[in-house]
PDB file of all heavy atoms in Angstrom:
ATOM      1  N   VAL A  23       5.513 -52.428  -3.514  1.00 98.00           N
ATOM      2  CA  VAL A  23       6.565 -53.436  -3.365  1.00 98.00           C
ATOM      3  C   VAL A  23       6.942 -54.094  -4.686  1.00 98.00           C
ATOM      4  O   VAL A  23       7.892 -54.880  -4.741  1.00 98.00           O
ATOM      5  CB  VAL A  23       6.159 -54.530  -2.358  1.00 98.00           C
ATOM      6  CG1 VAL A  23       5.759 -53.905  -1.025  1.00 98.00           C
ATOM      7  CG2 VAL A  23       5.059 -55.431  -2.902  1.00 98.00           C
ATOM      8  N   LYS A  24       6.222 -53.757  -5.736  1.00 98.00           N
ATOM      9  CA  LYS A  24       6.466 -54.392  -7.034  1.00 98.00           C
ATOM     10  C   LYS A  24       7.904 -54.137  -7.477  1.00 98.00           C
ATOM     11  O   LYS A  24       8.406 -53.012  -7.409  1.00 98.00           O
ATOM     12  CB  LYS A  24       5.477 -53.830  -8.060  1.00 98.00           C
ATOM     13  CG  LYS A  24       5.292 -54.675  -9.299  1.00 98.00           C
ATOM     14  CD  LYS A  24       4.144 -54.130 -10.137  1.00 98.00           C
ATOM     15  CE  LYS A  24       2.830 -54.222  -9.409  1.00 98.00           C
ATOM     16  NZ  LYS A  24       1.686 -53.743 -10.248  1.00 98.00           N
ATOM     17  N   GLY A  25       8.556 -55.195  -7.917  1.00 98.00           N
ATOM     18  CA  GLY A  25       9.941 -55.089  -8.351  1.00 98.00           C
ATOM     19  C   GLY A  25      10.949 -55.274  -7.237  1.00 98.00           C
ATOM     20  O   GLY A  25      12.141 -55.435  -7.495  1.00 98.00           O
ATOM     21  N   ARG A  26      10.480 -55.245  -5.996  1.00 98.00           N
ATOM     22  CA  ARG A  26      11.389 -55.411  -4.847  1.00 98.00           C
ATOM     23  C   ARG A  26      11.088 -56.700  -4.078  1.00 98.00           C
ATOM     24  O   ARG A  26      12.006 -57.324  -3.537  1.00 98.00           O
ATOM     25  CB  ARG A  26      11.260 -54.229  -3.893  1.00 98.00           C
ATOM     26  CG  ARG A  26      11.607 -52.897  -4.512  1.00 98.00           C
ATOM     27  CD  ARG A  26      11.649 -51.781  -3.443  1.00 98.00           C
ATOM     28  NE  ARG A  26      10.352 -51.572  -2.801  1.00 98.00           N
ATOM     29  CZ  ARG A  26      10.153 -51.677  -1.482  1.00 98.00           C
ATOM     30  NH1 ARG A  26      11.146 -51.997  -0.678  1.00 98.00           N
ATOM     31  NH2 ARG A  26       8.942 -51.460  -0.972  1.00 98.00           N
ATOM     32  N   PHE A  27       9.820 -57.079  -4.003  1.00 98.00           N
ATOM     33  CA  PHE A  27       9.406 -58.261  -3.250  1.00 98.00           C
ATOM     34  C   PHE A  27       8.996 -59.366  -4.211  1.00 98.00           C
ATOM     35  O   PHE A  27       8.468 -59.100  -5.299  1.00 98.00           O
ATOM     36  CB  PHE A  27       8.219 -57.937  -2.352  1.00 98.00           C
ATOM     37  CG  PHE A  27       8.511 -57.042  -1.188  1.00 98.00           C
ATOM     38  CD1 PHE A  27       9.716 -56.357  -1.059  1.00 98.00           C
ATOM     39  CD2 PHE A  27       7.567 -56.875  -0.180  1.00 98.00           C
ATOM     40  CE1 PHE A  27       9.973 -55.523   0.012  1.00 98.00           C
ATOM     41  CE2 PHE A  27       7.805 -56.056   0.901  1.00 98.00           C
ATOM     42  CZ  PHE A  27       9.004 -55.375   0.994  1.00 98.00           C
ATOM     43  N   THR A  28       9.211 -60.604  -3.785  1.00 98.00           N
ATOM     44  CA  THR A  28       8.786 -61.762  -4.572  1.00 98.00           C
ATOM     45  C   THR A  28       8.104 -62.770  -3.664  1.00 98.00           C
ATOM     46  O   THR A  28       8.687 -63.189  -2.652  1.00 98.00           O
ATOM     47  CB  THR A  28       9.978 -62.427  -5.265  1.00 98.00           C
ATOM     48  OG1 THR A  28      10.639 -61.479  -6.107  1.00 98.00           O
ATOM     49  CG2 THR A  28       9.516 -63.603  -6.116  1.00 98.00           C
ATOM     50  N   ILE A  29       6.899 -63.154  -4.021  1.00 98.00           N
ATOM     51  CA  ILE A  29       6.179 -64.186  -3.285  1.00 98.00           C
ATOM     52  C   ILE A  29       6.343 -65.503  -4.031  1.00 98.00           C
ATOM     53  O   ILE A  29       6.314 -65.543  -5.273  1.00 98.00           O
ATOM     54  CB  ILE A  29       4.690 -63.825  -3.108  1.00 98.00           C
ATOM     55  CG1 ILE A  29       3.992 -64.806  -2.180  1.00 98.00           C
ATOM     56  CG2 ILE A  29       3.978 -63.730  -4.458  1.00 98.00           C
ATOM     57  CD1 ILE A  29       2.572 -64.383  -1.784  1.00 98.00           C
ATOM     58  N   SER A  30       6.527 -66.571  -3.274  1.00 98.00           N
ATOM     59  CA  SER A  30       6.636 -67.898  -3.866  1.00 98.00           C
ATOM     60  C   SER A  30       6.115 -68.910  -2.873  1.00 98.00           C
ATOM     61  O   SER A  30       5.862 -68.587  -1.720  1.00 98.00           O
ATOM     62  CB  SER A  30       8.095 -68.202  -4.240  1.00 98.00           C
ATOM     63  OG  SER A  30       8.921 -68.201  -3.085  1.00 98.00           O
ATOM     64  N   ARG A  31       5.954 -70.126  -3.331  1.00 98.00           N
ATOM     65  CA  ARG A  31       5.488 -71.179  -2.433  1.00 98.00           C
ATOM     66  C   ARG A  31       6.125 -72.498  -2.807  1.00 98.00           C
ATOM     67  O   ARG A  31       6.441 -72.757  -3.984  1.00 98.00           O
ATOM     68  CB  ARG A  31       3.971 -71.283  -2.473  1.00 98.00           C
ATOM     69  CG  ARG A  31       3.372 -71.686  -3.804  1.00 98.00           C
ATOM     70  CD  ARG A  31       1.838 -71.520  -3.788  1.00 98.00           C
ATOM     71  NE  ARG A  31       1.197 -72.462  -2.867  1.00 98.00           N
ATOM     72  CZ  ARG A  31      -0.021 -72.266  -2.346  1.00 98.00           C
ATOM     73  NH1 ARG A  31      -0.716 -71.177  -2.660  1.00 98.00           N
ATOM     74  NH2 ARG A  31      -0.543 -73.176  -1.526  1.00 98.00           N
ATOM     75  N   ASP A  32       6.306 -73.328  -1.794  1.00 97.00           N
ATOM     76  CA  ASP A  32       6.795 -74.684  -1.978  1.00 97.00           C
ATOM     77  C   ASP A  32       5.702 -75.603  -1.451  1.00 97.00           C
ATOM     78  O   ASP A  32       5.576 -75.787  -0.235  1.00 97.00           O
ATOM     79  CB  ASP A  32       8.110 -74.882  -1.216  1.00 97.00           C
ATOM     80  CG  ASP A  32       8.729 -76.237  -1.467  1.00 97.00           C
ATOM     81  OD1 ASP A  32       8.004 -77.173  -1.865  1.00 97.00           O
ATOM     82  OD2 ASP A  32       9.939 -76.376  -1.253  1.00 97.00           O
ATOM     83  N   ASN A  33       4.929 -76.140  -2.344  1.00 94.00           N
ATOM     84  CA  ASN A  33       3.773 -76.936  -1.923  1.00 94.00           C
ATOM     85  C   ASN A  33       4.183 -78.257  -1.277  1.00 94.00           C
ATOM     86  O   ASN A  33       3.411 -78.836  -0.519  1.00 94.00           O
ATOM     87  CB  ASN A  33       2.843 -77.179  -3.101  1.00 94.00           C
ATOM     88  CG  ASN A  33       2.056 -75.931  -3.470  1.00 94.00           C
ATOM     89  OD1 ASN A  33       1.908 -75.011  -2.658  1.00 94.00           O
ATOM     90  ND2 ASN A  33       1.556 -75.867  -4.690  1.00 94.00           N
ATOM     91  N   ALA A  34       5.380 -78.705  -1.552  1.00 96.00           N
ATOM     92  CA  ALA A  34       5.863 -79.919  -0.903  1.00 96.00           C
ATOM     93  C   ALA A  34       6.211 -79.671   0.564  1.00 96.00           C
ATOM     94  O   ALA A  34       6.208 -80.603   1.372  1.00 96.00           O
ATOM     95  CB  ALA A  34       7.092 -80.449  -1.633  1.00 96.00           C
ATOM     96  N   LYS A  35       6.501 -78.410   0.886  1.00 97.00           N
ATOM     97  CA  LYS A  35       6.863 -78.050   2.264  1.00 97.00           C
ATOM     98  C   LYS A  35       5.754 -77.288   2.979  1.00 97.00           C
ATOM     99  O   LYS A  35       5.944 -76.829   4.114  1.00 97.00           O
ATOM    100  CB  LYS A  35       8.137 -77.212   2.268  1.00 97.00           C
ATOM    101  CG  LYS A  35       9.369 -77.952   1.763  1.00 97.00           C
ATOM    102  CD  LYS A  35      10.611 -77.090   1.864  1.00 97.00           C
ATOM    103  CE  LYS A  35      11.839 -77.865   1.410  1.00 97.00           C
ATOM    104  NZ  LYS A  35      13.070 -77.030   1.498  1.00 97.00           N
ATOM    105  N   ASN A  36       4.620 -77.113   2.321  1.00 97.00           N
ATOM    106  CA  ASN A  36       3.503 -76.358   2.923  1.00 97.00           C
ATOM    107  C   ASN A  36       3.947 -74.974   3.390  1.00 97.00           C
ATOM    108  O   ASN A  36       3.557 -74.513   4.474  1.00 97.00           O
ATOM    109  CB  ASN A  36       2.891 -77.120   4.112  1.00 97.00           C
ATOM    110  CG  ASN A  36       2.023 -78.275   3.679  1.00 97.00           C
ATOM    111  OD1 ASN A  36       2.084 -78.706   2.527  1.00 97.00           O
ATOM    112  ND2 ASN A  36       1.226 -78.800   4.591  1.00 97.00           N
ATOM    113  N   THR A  37       4.735 -74.324   2.581  1.00 98.00           N
ATOM    114  CA  THR A  37       5.332 -73.047   2.989  1.00 98.00           C
ATOM    115  C   THR A  37       5.217 -72.017   1.868  1.00 98.00           C
ATOM    116  O   THR A  37       5.426 -72.354   0.696  1.00 98.00           O
ATOM    117  CB  THR A  37       6.805 -73.237   3.374  1.00 98.00           C
ATOM    118  OG1 THR A  37       6.888 -74.195   4.435  1.00 98.00           O
ATOM    119  CG2 THR A  37       7.428 -71.929   3.830  1.00 98.00           C
ATOM    120  N   VAL A  38       4.911 -70.799   2.263  1.00 98.00           N
ATOM    121  CA  VAL A  38       4.942 -69.666   1.346  1.00 98.00           C
ATOM    122  C   VAL A  38       6.017 -68.697   1.820  1.00 98.00           C
ATOM    123  O   VAL A  38       6.259 -68.568   3.026  1.00 98.00           O
ATOM    124  CB  VAL A  38       3.559 -68.982   1.258  1.00 98.00           C
ATOM    125  CG1 VAL A  38       3.128 -68.410   2.597  1.00 98.00           C
ATOM    126  CG2 VAL A  38       3.538 -67.909   0.179  1.00 98.00           C
ATOM    127  N   TYR A  39       6.677 -68.062   0.876  1.00 98.00           N
ATOM    128  CA  TYR A  39       7.797 -67.177   1.180  1.00 98.00           C
ATOM    129  C   TYR A  39       7.529 -65.772   0.659  1.00 98.00           C
ATOM    130  O   TYR A  39       6.761 -65.563  -0.271  1.00 98.00           O
ATOM    131  CB  TYR A  39       9.076 -67.703   0.519  1.00 98.00           C
ATOM    132  CG  TYR A  39       9.429 -69.109   0.902  1.00 98.00           C
ATOM    133  CD1 TYR A  39       9.097 -70.169   0.063  1.00 98.00           C
ATOM    134  CD2 TYR A  39      10.100 -69.379   2.085  1.00 98.00           C
ATOM    135  CE1 TYR A  39       9.412 -71.477   0.404  1.00 98.00           C
ATOM    136  CE2 TYR A  39      10.423 -70.684   2.433  1.00 98.00           C
ATOM    137  CZ  TYR A  39      10.077 -71.723   1.592  1.00 98.00           C
ATOM    138  OH  TYR A  39      10.400 -73.009   1.941  1.00 98.00           O
ATOM    139  N   LEU A  40       8.208 -64.823   1.270  1.00 98.00           N
ATOM    140  CA  LEU A  40       8.216 -63.459   0.766  1.00 98.00           C
ATOM    141  C   LEU A  40       9.665 -62.986   0.804  1.00 98.00           C
ATOM    142  O   LEU A  40      10.208 -62.726   1.877  1.00 98.00           O
ATOM    143  CB  LEU A  40       7.327 -62.533   1.595  1.00 98.00           C
ATOM    144  CG  LEU A  40       7.197 -61.119   1.041  1.00 98.00           C
ATOM    145  CD1 LEU A  40       6.412 -61.134  -0.277  1.00 98.00           C
ATOM    146  CD2 LEU A  40       6.507 -60.197   2.046  1.00 98.00           C
ATOM    147  N   GLN A  41      10.286 -62.929  -0.354  1.00 98.00           N
ATOM    148  CA  GLN A  41      11.635 -62.401  -0.470  1.00 98.00           C
ATOM    149  C   GLN A  41      11.533 -60.891  -0.622  1.00 98.00           C
ATOM    150  O   GLN A  41      10.898 -60.395  -1.555  1.00 98.00           O
ATOM    151  CB  GLN A  41      12.341 -62.998  -1.686  1.00 98.00           C
ATOM    152  CG  GLN A  41      13.739 -62.461  -1.918  1.00 98.00           C
ATOM    153  CD  GLN A  41      14.703 -62.849  -0.818  1.00 98.00           C
ATOM    154  OE1 GLN A  41      14.730 -63.992  -0.378  1.00 98.00           O
ATOM    155  NE2 GLN A  41      15.499 -61.885  -0.357  1.00 98.00           N
ATOM    156  N   MET A  42      12.176 -60.178   0.287  1.00 98.00           N
ATOM    157  CA  MET A  42      12.100 -58.725   0.302  1.00 98.00           C
ATOM    158  C   MET A  42      13.482 -58.147   0.077  1.00 98.00           C
ATOM    159  O   MET A  42      14.387 -58.361   0.887  1.00 98.00           O
ATOM    160  CB  MET A  42      11.524 -58.234   1.633  1.00 98.00           C
ATOM    161  CG  MET A  42      10.200 -58.870   2.001  1.00 98.00           C
ATOM    162  SD  MET A  42       9.459 -58.164   3.479  1.00 98.00           S
ATOM    163  CE  MET A  42      10.640 -58.658   4.701  1.00 98.00           C
ATOM    164  N   ASN A  43      13.644 -57.454  -1.016  1.00 98.00           N
ATOM    165  CA  ASN A  43      14.915 -56.819  -1.362  1.00 98.00           C
ATOM    166  C   ASN A  43      14.760 -55.299  -1.385  1.00 98.00           C
ATOM    167  O   ASN A  43      13.649 -54.773  -1.436  1.00 98.00           O
ATOM    168  CB  ASN A  43      15.387 -57.311  -2.731  1.00 98.00           C
ATOM    169  CG  ASN A  43      15.645 -58.794  -2.766  1.00 98.00           C
ATOM    170  OD1 ASN A  43      16.024 -59.414  -1.779  1.00 98.00           O
ATOM    171  ND2 ASN A  43      15.431 -59.393  -3.930  1.00 98.00           N
ATOM    172  N   SER A  44      15.879 -54.614  -1.354  1.00 98.00           N
ATOM    173  CA  SER A  44      15.877 -53.147  -1.403  1.00 98.00           C
ATOM    174  C   SER A  44      14.890 -52.566  -0.397  1.00 98.00           C
ATOM    175  O   SER A  44      14.079 -51.683  -0.703  1.00 98.00           O
ATOM    176  CB  SER A  44      15.529 -52.660  -2.814  1.00 98.00           C
ATOM    177  OG  SER A  44      16.434 -53.174  -3.762  1.00 98.00           O
ATOM    178  N   LEU A  45      14.985 -53.044   0.824  1.00 98.00           N
ATOM    179  CA  LEU A  45      14.025 -52.626   1.846  1.00 98.00           C
ATOM    180  C   LEU A  45      14.158 -51.146   2.156  1.00 98.00           C
ATOM    181  O   LEU A  45      15.266 -50.577   2.162  1.00 98.00           O
ATOM    182  CB  LEU A  45      14.211 -53.466   3.100  1.00 98.00           C
ATOM    183  CG  LEU A  45      13.604 -54.876   2.999  1.00 98.00           C
ATOM    184  CD1 LEU A  45      14.205 -55.800   4.048  1.00 98.00           C
ATOM    185  CD2 LEU A  45      12.097 -54.806   3.156  1.00 98.00           C
ATOM    186  N   GLU A  46      13.012 -50.550   2.441  1.00 98.00           N
ATOM    187  CA  GLU A  46      12.930 -49.132   2.760  1.00 98.00           C
ATOM    188  C   GLU A  46      12.317 -48.984   4.157  1.00 98.00           C
ATOM    189  O   GLU A  46      11.640 -49.881   4.653  1.00 98.00           O
ATOM    190  CB  GLU A  46      12.043 -48.433   1.730  1.00 98.00           C
ATOM    191  CG  GLU A  46      12.516 -48.611   0.294  1.00 98.00           C
ATOM    192  CD  GLU A  46      11.481 -48.161  -0.734  1.00 98.00           C
ATOM    193  OE1 GLU A  46      10.340 -47.813  -0.323  1.00 98.00           O
ATOM    194  OE2 GLU A  46      11.815 -48.150  -1.942  1.00 98.00           O
ATOM    195  N   ARG A  47      12.550 -47.821   4.750  1.00 97.00           N
ATOM    196  CA  ARG A  47      11.998 -47.577   6.091  1.00 97.00           C
ATOM    197  C   ARG A  47      10.487 -47.749   6.089  1.00 97.00           C
ATOM    198  O   ARG A  47       9.897 -48.203   7.074  1.00 97.00           O
ATOM    199  CB  ARG A  47      12.370 -46.187   6.574  1.00 97.00           C
ATOM    200  CG  ARG A  47      13.821 -46.051   6.983  1.00 97.00           C
ATOM    201  CD  ARG A  47      14.046 -44.729   7.687  1.00 97.00           C
ATOM    202  NE  ARG A  47      13.303 -44.627   8.941  1.00 97.00           N
ATOM    203  CZ  ARG A  47      13.238 -43.565   9.697  1.00 97.00           C
ATOM    204  NH1 ARG A  47      13.861 -42.461   9.326  1.00 97.00           N
ATOM    205  NH2 ARG A  47      12.564 -43.559  10.820  1.00 97.00           N
ATOM    206  N   GLU A  48       9.868 -47.404   4.981  1.00 97.00           N
ATOM    207  CA  GLU A  48       8.410 -47.504   4.878  1.00 97.00           C
ATOM    208  C   GLU A  48       7.909 -48.951   4.883  1.00 97.00           C
ATOM    209  O   GLU A  48       6.710 -49.194   5.004  1.00 97.00           O
ATOM    210  CB  GLU A  48       7.923 -46.806   3.607  1.00 97.00           C
ATOM    211  CG  GLU A  48       8.106 -45.286   3.598  1.00 97.00           C
ATOM    212  CD  GLU A  48       9.562 -44.860   3.446  1.00 97.00           C
ATOM    213  OE1 GLU A  48      10.361 -45.646   2.893  1.00 97.00           O
ATOM    214  OE2 GLU A  48       9.893 -43.734   3.877  1.00 97.00           O
ATOM    215  N   ASP A  49       8.817 -49.900   4.760  1.00 98.00           N
ATOM    216  CA  ASP A  49       8.432 -51.311   4.812  1.00 98.00           C
ATOM    217  C   ASP A  49       8.325 -51.821   6.245  1.00 98.00           C
ATOM    218  O   ASP A  49       7.898 -52.965   6.465  1.00 98.00           O
ATOM    219  CB  ASP A  49       9.443 -52.173   4.048  1.00 98.00           C
ATOM    220  CG  ASP A  49       9.485 -51.853   2.563  1.00 98.00           C
ATOM    221  OD1 ASP A  49       8.410 -51.668   1.960  1.00 98.00           O
ATOM    222  OD2 ASP A  49      10.600 -51.779   2.010  1.00 98.00           O
ATOM    223  N   THR A  50       8.707 -51.003   7.200  1.00 98.00           N
ATOM    224  CA  THR A  50       8.625 -51.389   8.603  1.00 98.00           C
ATOM    225  C   THR A  50       7.180 -51.670   8.994  1.00 98.00           C
ATOM    226  O   THR A  50       6.307 -50.815   8.821  1.00 98.00           O
ATOM    227  CB  THR A  50       9.211 -50.292   9.498  1.00 98.00           C
ATOM    228  OG1 THR A  50      10.618 -50.175   9.227  1.00 98.00           O
ATOM    229  CG2 THR A  50       9.002 -50.623  10.971  1.00 98.00           C
ATOM    230  N   ALA A  51       6.930 -52.871   9.495  1.00 98.00           N
ATOM    231  CA  ALA A  51       5.572 -53.278   9.850  1.00 98.00           C
ATOM    232  C   ALA A  51       5.615 -54.685  10.427  1.00 98.00           C
ATOM    233  O   ALA A  51       6.645 -55.360  10.366  1.00 98.00           O
ATOM    234  CB  ALA A  51       4.660 -53.272   8.613  1.00 98.00           C
ATOM    235  N   VAL A  52       4.480 -55.111  10.956  1.00 98.00           N
ATOM    236  CA  VAL A  52       4.284 -56.523  11.260  1.00 98.00           C
ATOM    237  C   VAL A  52       3.709 -57.173  10.008  1.00 98.00           C
ATOM    238  O   VAL A  52       2.716 -56.672   9.450  1.00 98.00           O
ATOM    239  CB  VAL A  52       3.340 -56.721  12.452  1.00 98.00           C
ATOM    240  CG1 VAL A  52       3.114 -58.210  12.702  1.00 98.00           C
ATOM    241  CG2 VAL A  52       3.899 -56.050  13.700  1.00 98.00           C
ATOM    242  N   TYR A  53       4.331 -58.238   9.588  1.00 98.00           N
ATOM    243  CA  TYR A  53       3.915 -58.933   8.370  1.00 98.00           C
ATOM    244  C   TYR A  53       3.141 -60.199   8.745  1.00 98.00           C
ATOM    245  O   TYR A  53       3.601 -60.991   9.579  1.00 98.00           O
ATOM    246  CB  TYR A  53       5.128 -59.283   7.513  1.00 98.00           C
ATOM    247  CG  TYR A  53       5.674 -58.098   6.772  1.00 98.00           C
ATOM    248  CD1 TYR A  53       6.325 -57.063   7.446  1.00 98.00           C
ATOM    249  CD2 TYR A  53       5.515 -57.977   5.395  1.00 98.00           C
ATOM    250  CE1 TYR A  53       6.804 -55.944   6.766  1.00 98.00           C
ATOM    251  CE2 TYR A  53       5.997 -56.868   4.708  1.00 98.00           C
ATOM    252  CZ  TYR A  53       6.634 -55.865   5.395  1.00 98.00           C
ATOM    253  OH  TYR A  53       7.108 -54.761   4.720  1.00 98.00           O
ATOM    254  N   TYR A  54       1.991 -60.354   8.098  1.00 98.00           N
ATOM    255  CA  TYR A  54       1.126 -61.483   8.347  1.00 98.00           C
ATOM    256  C   TYR A  54       0.900 -62.288   7.073  1.00 98.00           C
ATOM    257  O   TYR A  54       0.759 -61.704   5.987  1.00 98.00           O
ATOM    258  CB  TYR A  54      -0.250 -61.008   8.829  1.00 98.00           C
ATOM    259  CG  TYR A  54      -0.253 -60.216  10.098  1.00 98.00           C
ATOM    260  CD1 TYR A  54      -0.126 -58.830  10.082  1.00 98.00           C
ATOM    261  CD2 TYR A  54      -0.396 -60.849  11.337  1.00 98.00           C
ATOM    262  CE1 TYR A  54      -0.138 -58.091  11.253  1.00 98.00           C
ATOM    263  CE2 TYR A  54      -0.415 -60.117  12.510  1.00 98.00           C
ATOM    264  CZ  TYR A  54      -0.284 -58.747  12.463  1.00 98.00           C
ATOM    265  OH  TYR A  54      -0.296 -58.019  13.630  1.00 98.00           O
ATOM    266  N   CYS A  55       0.858 -63.592   7.224  1.00 98.00           N
ATOM    267  CA  CYS A  55       0.416 -64.383   6.079  1.00 98.00           C
ATOM    268  C   CYS A  55      -1.009 -64.843   6.322  1.00 98.00           C
ATOM    269  O   CYS A  55      -1.430 -65.047   7.464  1.00 98.00           O
ATOM    270  CB  CYS A  55       1.339 -65.556   5.799  1.00 98.00           C
ATOM    271  SG  CYS A  55       1.269 -66.906   6.984  1.00 98.00           S
ATOM    272  N   GLY A  56      -1.736 -64.964   5.232  1.00 98.00           N
ATOM    273  CA  GLY A  56      -3.114 -65.389   5.287  1.00 98.00           C
ATOM    274  C   GLY A  56      -3.342 -66.529   4.309  1.00 98.00           C
ATOM    275  O   GLY A  56      -2.630 -66.668   3.317  1.00 98.00           O
ATOM    276  N   ALA A  57      -4.363 -67.331   4.625  1.00 97.00           N
ATOM    277  CA  ALA A  57      -4.699 -68.466   3.777  1.00 97.00           C
ATOM    278  C   ALA A  57      -6.172 -68.424   3.401  1.00 97.00           C
ATOM    279  O   ALA A  57      -7.027 -68.172   4.251  1.00 97.00           O
ATOM    280  CB  ALA A  57      -4.394 -69.778   4.500  1.00 97.00           C
TER     281      ALA A  57
END
């Protein structure tokens, strides 16, 4: 996913994000966040 996905977080909102660009069929999955 390098170069296509970007992880970021907003600590003021207690939220982490995953921006996914140039998606491919192989990216099909259930996505989970962990802490």
Side-chain angles (χ1 to χ4, degrees):
V23 306
K24 199 172 296 182
R26 299 188 297 122
F27 290 11
T28 302
I29 188 171
S30 62
R31 64 190 293 158
D32 185 338
N33 286 340
K35 296 183 178 180
N36 284 16
T37 302
V38 62
Y39 304 98
L40 185 68
Q41 178 66 45
M42 307 186 294
N43 298 329
S44 302
L45 282 161
E46 303 168 354
R47 286 191 64 185
E48 293 72 25
D49 296 318
T50 295
V52 178
Y53 284 70
Y54 300 90
C55 72

